[in-house]
Amino acid sequence: MFKNVIELARQVRRSEDFKNALNTPARLSLHARQRFNRDHFAIEIRASSGFFSVMQIVLCILLYCDEKRLTPVISARGGSYGDAQGKIDWLAECFENLAAAPHTARAGLRTSVVRDLGDLGFRRYEAGLGLERASAVFLSNYRPTGSIREEVERIRERLDIGASTLGVHFRGTDKKFEAHTIEWSAFCRMVETTLAHDHRLTNIFVSSDEQAFLDFFLKWGFAVPVSVAPAALLSSGEKPVHFSGHSGLAIAREALVASLLLAHCGQLIKTPSYLSAWSKVFNPSLRVRLAVPPRENAFWFPDSQIWTEQTRRDNDLANPETGIAAFDSPFAGTGAAANAGTLPRPIDL
């Protein structure tokens, strides 16, 4: 009974309506301040959430600026990935700004500090957002830095990650509060089914924040070789990696590299996670299957869109007139590459 009360309180605290109600005065003040910047929108993100949760804030700011025809000036400091003094813009350490050089921003801009999407009131931009548009907007503004792209390419070549690779991502630790769970053995059987139905897949690349899962996965005995994402920084117990005491910039870089490597795979099977969902943003032609859905109170983009599209496809495939069941081909009909009968090409970031 006590556990149920705690869980209910947690859901209320995490609900967007609750956050919006609390943040209304500060949000109104922020937007009033930003009007003084005229054609610029200057935001500094100081969030304690995960790396790609922060990228979600960046994406929504970009969508807002695209709609209002504003120039975004975005930085990310402190939090889980920066220094305590907030001197390092860790967003700039991970991404190059393609839209405009930093020196082109008008002098005297008033910068507003935010900690989550509730401070901006921008969760609405996720509703109805398509994956291709999200990808186009983000990648027209940012790309990973040269050193990160070089690291990804080195690992990709060493582990033979490409169109014939089945990417696998399992998010463990505290994710059970935001996503339905699946037994490790059931997840491995889903991977086996995927391999059985597509013989073009010749190897597996697996990434996870949970070492115990990786040990279990490697012992399963798949019919193709398995390589593991290089990860020096893993979670501690049920604490997510960004709360486990590791160097912030190192965690950020490792998360971004893992997502980009998954984006280079031919197909991806995953549990709900911003990290692997953003692989689809980096490569919208990537064929993705979610093993389980996010929970209702955490039905957030991109996984919400991935799940919705997947459910629609599965319903179409389950048409009794064709005699085709949805589970017969986990990736059937997904993505432009599937329609062409070929695996998607590796992306160029």
Side-chain angles (χ1 to χ4, degrees), residues 78-101:
S80 300
Y81 305 104
D83 59 311
Q85 296 75 31
K87 294 180 179 179
I88 299 173
D89 177 4
W90 59 261
L91 179 65
E93 295 289 322
C94 296
F95 290 95
E96 298 172 0
N97 188 333
L98 301 177

Side-chain angles (χ1 to χ4, degrees), residues 119-151:
D119 291 345
L120 291 158
F122 284 176
R123 183 66 77 180
R124 69 183 186 275
Y125 283 100
E126 296 178 322
L129 177 62
L131 288 157
E132 289 190 1
R133 178 161 186 256
S135 178
V137 169
F138 185 83
L139 294 179
S140 65
N141 285 273
Y142 291 102
R143 71 172 177 178
T145 61
S147 66
I148 289 176
R149 297 199 307 273
E150 289 169 5
E151 181 178 350

Side-chain angles (χ1 to χ4, degrees), residues 169-171 182 187 269-273 276 289-292 303:
H169 183 243
F170 187 91
R171 171 71 159 85
I182 182 172
F187 186 76
I269 186 167
K270 65 191 274 323
T271 58
S273 164
S276 48
R289 186 161 192 87
L290 267 169
V292 289
D303 275 331

Side-chain angles (χ1 to χ4, degrees), residues 155 159 161 168 205-208 214 227-232 234 258 261-262:
I155 298 171
L159 299 182
I161 298 171
V168 173
F205 171 72
V206 60
S207 176
S208 177
L214 291 172
S227 58
V228 178
L234 292 172
L261 288 169
L262 291 169

